[in-house]
Amino acid sequence: LCGDNVFEAFSRHFSHILSLGGEDAVAIGSDFDGALMAKELDSVDKIPKLYKYLSKNYDKQLLDKLFYDNAFNFFWGSVK
């Protein structure tokens, strides 16, 4: 993602991943405690900006799945 508009690059990667696995197989996460992160996404308080950017091309139902529901369902299914 370096040297590119980070949100635009993320959107391209996101679209490609969705085309491979479908909307139920993707969840957005981060590694704020050790990974090198682009300044546009280097803390949790910037995640809403990414959501807003992606909302130009994706509907709320899909984004909610990717930003929360898919991860919740994965972890909830692991503890049952």
Side-chain angles (χ1 to χ4, degrees):
L1 296 177
C2 296
D4 201 351
N5 175 310
V6 172
F7 290 168
E8 178 57 34
F10 191 96
S11 183
R12 286 193 311 270
H13 287 281
F14 184 65
S15 178
H16 178 69
I17 292 168
L18 285 173
S19 74
L20 296 175
E23 65 186 56
D24 295 322
V26 178
I28 293 175
S30 65
D31 185 2
F32 296 121
D33 65 345
L36 296 175
M37 304 288 287
K39 67 180 177 174
E40 294 86 353
L41 290 172
D42 65 357
S43 65
V44 70
D45 66 313
K46 295 179 180 173
I47 298 300
K49 292 178 184 177
L50 177 61
Y51 186 102
K52 183 176 180 180
Y53 182 86
L54 293 174
S55 71
K56 293 188 276 185
N57 297 313
Y58 302 98
D59 67 34
K60 181 182 183 325
Q61 182 180 2
L62 173 62
L63 292 178
D64 286 350
K65 288 174 83 172
L66 302 168
F67 278 78
Y68 172 77
D69 292 334
N70 288 347
F72 177 83
N73 292 335
F74 173 80
F75 288 112
W76 182 249
S78 298
V79 298
K80 284 185 173 181

